[in-house]
Amino acid sequence: MPTTFDLFGTLVAAERSDTPAEAVADALADRGVPVPDDWTVAYREPHEPVPEGAEQPLPDHVAAALASRGVDADGELVREATLAAFDRPVAVRDGARKAVVAAREHGSVGVLSNCSVPGLAERALERAGLDVDAVVTSVGCGWRKPDPRAFAAVADALDAEPESLVHVGDDPSTDGGVEAVGGRAVLLAETPLRELPELLEGRACR
C-alpha cells in the first residue's frame, strides 16, 4: 500500500517570504546578474503561456522576466539564485516522523509537492532529515496537483498504480485530487498526522 505525502504544510513548515520578487532580486544581484529597476513589475507579469494544470519552472519565469527588460542572464546563475531565494529553514511538523515511519511499514513512501523551484523540495527534506523512497514535484513532472498526471507520476516513481495511492495532505483542493485517479485522500483537517499510523493499520487489516 503506497503512501504519498504533500510536503510544505503537511510534513514540514517552512518560512515564506512576503516579498518573493525582492528575495529573487537580492539573490540575482549577489551573483552579479543586473536587476532591472522595475523588477517587481517584471516579476509579476506573465511572460510565457502555461497550459492548464501545468507547472512553469520558476527559473524559466525569472529568465523570461529578465529578458523582457533586456537582461540576458546565464541560466545556471538564474537557477542558483532562484533556489537560494526560497531555500529557508524548515521545521518538521508534529507527528510527521512517526507518520512516515508508519507508512513505510505498509509499503513504499513518496512525496508529491506543488513546487516550482527545482531542488527546493529535496533540500527541505534533507534539512528535515526525512527519508522517503521517491520525491516528485510539479516542476519535475510538469503537472500541479490536482492534475491526475501529477498523481500518475508519483505512482510511477513508486512502481505502483495511481488507484492504490493513499495521499496525505493539508489542502482539499489539491491533495484531494488523488480521488480522481481512484486513490484515497487523507486530509489533515480530518485526520491529523498523529492519527495516521492507526488509520493505515486499519486500512491494511481490511
Side-chain angles (χ1 to χ4, degrees), residues 4 53 55 62 66-67 70 79 83 86 97-98 109 116 124 140 148 157 170 174 206:
T4 56
E55 181 70 273
V62 170
L66 289 168
R79 284 189 290 274
L83 177 58
F86 295 96
R97 295 192 191 282
K98 289 183 178 180
V109 180
S116 64
D170 65 316
T174 57
R206 289 178 183 176

Side-chain angles (χ1 to χ4, degrees), residues 30-48:
D30 288 344
R31 288 157 179 78
V33 178
V35 179
D37 292 338
D38 66 339
W39 171 246
T40 299
V41 175
Y43 185 84
R44 291 176 179 170
E45 291 174 350
H47 298 283
E48 298 176 352

Side-chain angles (χ1 to χ4, degrees), residues 1 5 8 41 73 96-97 106 110 119 124 146 150 162 173 175 202:
M1 180 177 62
F5 292 86
F8 300 105
V41 175
R97 295 192 191 282
H106 300 287
S173 66
D175 298 307

Side-chain angles (χ1 to χ4, degrees), residues 4 112 145-152 154 161-169 171-188 190-191 199 203:
T4 56
L112 178 61
K145 296 176 293 183
D147 193 287
R149 286 166 286 195
F151 294 100
V154 74
E161 297 299 324
E163 59 267 24
S164 70
L165 295 178
V166 174
H167 180 71
V168 183
D171 187 345
S173 66
T174 57
D175 298 307
V178 71
E179 295 180 350
V181 298
R184 176 175 178 180
V186 177
L187 300 174
L188 298 190
E190 302 166 357
T191 306
L199 181 148
R203 182 176 174 86

